[in-house]
Amino acid sequence: KAGVTQTPRYLIKTRGQQVTLSCSPISGHRSVSWYQQTPGQGLQFLFEYFSETQRNKGNFPGRFSGRQFSNSRSEMNVSTLELGDSALYLCASRRGSEETQYFGPGTRLLVL
Amino acid sequence: GENVEQHPSTLSVQEGDSAVIKCTYSDSASNYFPWYKQELGKRPQLIIDIRSNVGEKKDQRIAVTLNKTAKHFSLHITETQPEDSAVYFCAASIGTGGGADGLTFGKGTHLIIQP
């Protein structure tokens, strides 16, 4: 079974721009969560989508948003990029009835 | 919200020795505790997890113990090998069977296996 995939893998943007990242979950997984990983703050939960609905949200500003499509693929968007948004963005998928989350390879975002 | 503390931040052990990483959590409602291993430049990979109705779980050289009263859980790796070198993260969440809150992670432990 194919694992979680994320595109693009690397991205360079400038301050003020916006960016969209994509995540395709493992087949049959209906939940997708997004995390931000930085050296200083570690792994932080952004939000979770299940059946196209945001179910949980972490402590991030409204510039961070997401959505999920009917095929469970998810996108996250960051508007008005700041230097501090430079990070590895990881998504993780799981079956809706289980807790175990499987991570994708991440998208490394650099904001200049 | 939940807060997870992880210690130590760096752990160096001789190959063949055991390694122990400890985590504490703050929210007594948390009931799911996974451990992830992340090698440099790679994705976090689940190595073992435990639910609050279990006190200990073992998988070959890896074991996890949970003390609900003290709100702490530990990862034990025996007979360490060079390929165990990585960053290890503990996490906690409130699992409900029909879903779970997002994972709250510890800051990670860089495990170094000395040959």
Side-chain angles (χ1 to χ4, degrees):
Chain A
K1 187 182 282 191
V4 180
T5 59
Q6 292 186 244
T7 57
R9 293 294 311 279
Y10 304 93
L11 208 49
I12 299 176
K13 292 286 187 179
T14 56
R15 279 183 300 173
Q17 288 186 311
Q18 67 97 26
V19 66
T20 299
L21 312 180
S22 180
C23 172
S24 292
I26 293 171
S27 177
H29 287 194
R30 295 169 61 193
S31 166
V32 173
S33 295
W34 288 89
Y35 295 85
Q36 181 194 65
Q37 185 174 28
T38 60
Q41 297 300 317
L43 278 154
Q44 293 185 288
F45 171 69
L46 281 155
F47 30 66
E48 180 196 13
Y49 285 86
F50 179 79
S51 293
E52 302 177 65
T53 301
Q54 186 181 90
R55 191 155 63 174
N56 292 295
K57 191 176 192 305
N59 189 25
F60 277 82
R63 300 186 296 108
F64 293 82
S65 62
R67 59 176 175 168
Q68 187 179 34
F69 303 94
S70 58
N71 62 357
S72 295
R73 189 178 70 85
S74 177
E75 289 181 347
M76 70 163 280
N77 183 275
V78 188
S79 62
T80 319
L81 284 165
E82 301 177 359
L83 296 179
D85 296 334
S86 294
L88 180 67
Y89 290 89
L90 293 157
C91 75
S93 77
R94 63 183 176 87
R95 294 186 186 280
S97 58
E98 299 175 358
E99 295 99 337
T100 304
Q101 296 189 29
Y102 299 90
F103 281 87
T107 294
R108 188 163 296 280
L109 172 65
L110 177 61
V111 182
L112 301 175
Chain B
E2 175 66 278
N3 182 50
V4 177
E5 300 281 341
Q6 182 172 347
H7 299 280
S9 57
T10 304
L11 178 60
S12 182
V13 301
Q14 291 292 322
E15 182 179 349
D17 287 351
S18 296
V20 180
I21 302 171
K22 299 182 179 183
C23 290
T24 60
Y25 61 98
S26 62
D27 191 340
S28 56
S30 289
N31 59 6
Y32 175 64
F33 307 92
W35 286 87
Y36 285 86
K37 174 185 179 181
Q38 187 175 30
E39 296 176 78
L40 190 62
K42 297 192 175 180
R43 73 187 75 191
Q45 290 199 303
L46 180 74
I47 55 171
I48 196 167
D49 57 10
I50 192 168
R51 289 162 180 81
S52 59
N53 58 349
V54 176
E56 183 174 357
K57 184 177 178 180
K58 191 172 181 180
D59 182 5
Q60 298 183 0
R61 298 187 296 109
I62 294 172
V64 57
T65 58
L66 171 65
N67 183 326
K68 284 192 296 182
T69 303
K71 289 192 279 192
H72 68 69
F73 56 114
S74 301
L75 177 71
H76 305 252
I77 305 175
T78 59
E79 301 172 8
T80 53
Q81 301 169 3
E83 53 265 36
D84 294 330
S85 293
V87 179
Y88 291 79
F89 294 94
C90 63
S93 75
I94 301 171
T96 62
D101 288 350
L103 293 169
T104 300
F105 284 88
K107 290 284 196 236
T109 295
H110 186 192
L111 177 62
I112 302 165
I113 308 300
Q114 303 279 6

